[in-house]
Amino acid sequence: MKKMTDLLSDYFHDNCSREDEIAIEKWLAENGGDEVDEAFQKILSEIRVDDATLAREGFEKFRQRIGSARSSSSAERLRRTARLLQRVAALLFIPLLALSGYLFLKDNPQQMEWNDITIPNGTQQALTLSDGTVLHLNAGTRVIYPAQFTGDKREIFINGEVFADVAKDPDKPFIISAGDIQVEVLGTQFNFRAYNNLETVEVALVEGAVLFETENSQQERLKAGEMVQYNRTTRQINRELFLTHQYKSPSKNEGFYFSNLTLGDIAKELEYYFDTDIVILDDELNSNRYVAYFTNNETLDEILSDLNVDGKMMIKQSQNMIFIDKRH
């Protein structure tokens, strides 16, 4: 007999027998808490895929099947599982409207309207939420947010980079979720970089205080002038200090603040900002780390030239693509 976590994975991917489906639905209906949480975490670790269409199809089948068990489940147990489904949705960036029929149970008639926007490459945009929070969204950023905040928290979902000026509300913490990362605040200003295809997640706190939490329950409480970087591959966290009055955010079109980032991560951010494909042909170059600040409206060519101050890179441009290789 397979372990329940393995059966649940098969269930998610529509790869199990009807007998197993019944057993899983019964188990989900009767269980909650840590055991279910661990099972979902295993799925989360396996479904970080680039094929968003495939991911959405798999999740939709899963959602429909698990919804069929509603009549035999208590509302409290369903709420526990709904919280976990929401994590899956955030990781895959599935429009949360697809979850409304499940997340809002018969005993809770309140419905939420969700908005879903993506900022085109090469542009930035400011967005004001219903509570007065202002989000400065960088190029290539996707944000899913409610038209009106309800309940005891204010939660939005981000894939990309945002400078947030959060409206103070001591009774309703503001939460930004980025799949495997969550930042919780009451009222503050900070920059949050968490593109799905970047290895390093970064939070730079300009004002106030935030709680940074990873999917494996690592937590960091930050004060103004502190920055935390989380490596999604190694799961290591690095903290450092910076001068808040000197911090510049690309989300606000102020410039770039690269602190101990790999060339690979820097290149991906520059791709979004300048809407230009950058291909790094050498693995060693890709993993080289840089500390660099650009605050004078430098062009892409100027930024890459400054990063190549030692002359070890060979940079070539062909049409709308830039190729970077090691100079031999």
Side-chain angles (χ1 to χ4, degrees):
M1 179 71 179
K2 286 186 177 181
K3 293 181 180 179
M4 183 52 68
T5 52
D6 293 331
L7 284 174
L8 190 59
S9 180
D10 288 343
Y11 184 78
F12 178 91
H13 293 289
D14 196 18
N15 190 30
C16 63
S17 67
R18 180 54 186 159
E19 180 181 357
D20 287 341
E21 286 182 7
I22 293 172
I24 292 166
E25 289 168 359
K26 183 175 184 295
W27 182 77
L28 286 170
E30 295 176 352
N31 292 275
D34 293 341
E35 190 173 7
V36 175
D37 199 2
E38 290 174 4
F40 270 81
Q41 292 296 345
K42 184 175 186 297
I43 289 181
L44 290 178
S45 68
E46 295 174 347
I47 60 177
R48 188 180 297 282
V49 296
D50 294 328
D51 191 336
T53 300
L54 180 63
R56 283 193 291 269
E57 290 175 353
F59 182 81
E60 180 60 21
K61 290 178 182 178
F62 177 66
R63 184 193 66 81
Q64 290 174 355
R65 282 209 228 90
I66 197 172
S68 68
R70 283 180 53 182
S71 60
S72 61
S73 304
S74 70
E76 179 58 31
R77 285 169 179 157
L78 276 173
R79 287 193 185 94
R80 292 172 182 166
T81 307
R83 176 175 58 85
L84 299 168
L85 275 173
Q86 198 171 35
R87 292 184 190 176
V88 180
L91 182 65
L92 299 179
F93 261 82
I94 298 162
L96 296 184
L97 283 172
L99 289 173
S100 61
Y102 181 77
L103 294 177
F104 300 98
L105 308 173
K106 290 181 179 179
D107 59 354
N108 183 7
Q110 185 180 38
Q111 298 290 316
M112 292 180 69
E113 177 186 349
W114 291 86
N115 297 316
D116 179 354
I117 65 171
T118 300
I119 309 305
N121 290 353
T123 63
Q124 292 75 39
Q125 179 176 324
L127 173 67
T128 301
L129 304 182
S130 62
D131 65 337
T133 292
V134 178
L135 304 178
H136 297 272
L137 304 169
N138 198 10
T141 296
R142 183 178 181 185
V143 57
I144 298 174
Y145 63 98
Q148 295 290 330
F149 289 111
T150 60
D152 58 359
K153 64 180 179 180
R154 298 168 288 165
E155 186 168 18
I156 66 172
F157 299 87
I158 288 284
N159 168 22
E161 183 170 15
V162 56
F163 185 93
D165 187 352
V166 178
K168 291 180 172 61
D169 187 343
D171 297 324
K172 292 184 179 182
F174 191 93
I175 298 171
I176 298 181
S177 292
D180 54 344
I181 301 298
Q182 180 173 288
V183 177
E184 179 177 337
V185 302
L186 293 177
T188 189
Q189 294 182 359
F190 63 98
N191 197 78
F192 181 42
R193 183 190 299 125
Y195 288 100
N196 281 352
N197 61 349
L198 264 63
E199 184 177 56
T200 302
V201 175
E202 181 182 280
V203 177
L205 183 60
V206 176
E207 178 184 298
V210 304
L211 174 64
F212 176 88
E213 184 175 5
T214 72
E215 64 178 352
N216 57 334
S217 300
Q218 296 183 76
Q219 292 186 343
E220 297 286 337
R221 294 184 181 274
L222 302 181
K223 296 182 296 183
E226 292 184 327
M227 175 189 295
V228 63
Q229 293 178 327
Y230 172 69
N231 187 295
R232 282 170 157 158
T233 301
T234 64
R235 295 190 173 184
Q236 291 183 333
I237 291 179
N238 179 60
R239 291 177 68 128
E240 61 180 78
L241 301 177
F242 69 96
L243 298 176
T244 57
H245 68 278
Q246 291 184 354
Y247 186 83
K248 303 298 180 182
S249 171
S251 301
K252 299 174 71 176
N253 202 26
E254 296 174 331
F256 298 94
Y257 193 105
F258 299 133
S259 179
N260 195 34
L261 290 181
T262 65
L263 182 62
D265 276 0
I266 291 174
K268 289 185 177 70
E269 173 146 356
L270 294 176
E271 281 186 330
Y272 289 124
Y273 191 89
F274 290 102
D275 193 20
T276 300
D277 291 329
I278 302 175
V279 180
I280 302 175
L281 301 174
D282 184 86
D283 290 340
E284 184 179 342
L285 283 179
N286 192 69
S287 59
N288 284 349
R289 293 185 175 275
Y290 293 82
V291 175
Y293 313 133
F294 300 97
T295 60
N296 296 311
N297 295 316
E298 288 89 346
T299 65
L300 178 57
D301 287 342
E302 289 172 334
I303 291 174
L304 292 178
S305 178
D306 285 349
L307 293 177
N308 190 32
V309 66
D310 58 4
K312 293 183 178 180
M313 293 188 294
M314 183 170 58
I315 304 172
K316 293 183 177 180
Q317 184 167 351
S318 177
Q319 295 181 350
N320 199 38
M321 297 184 68
I322 292 176
F323 297 89
I324 301 177
D325 201 356
K326 181 182 290 186
R327 187 177 296 278
H328 300 288

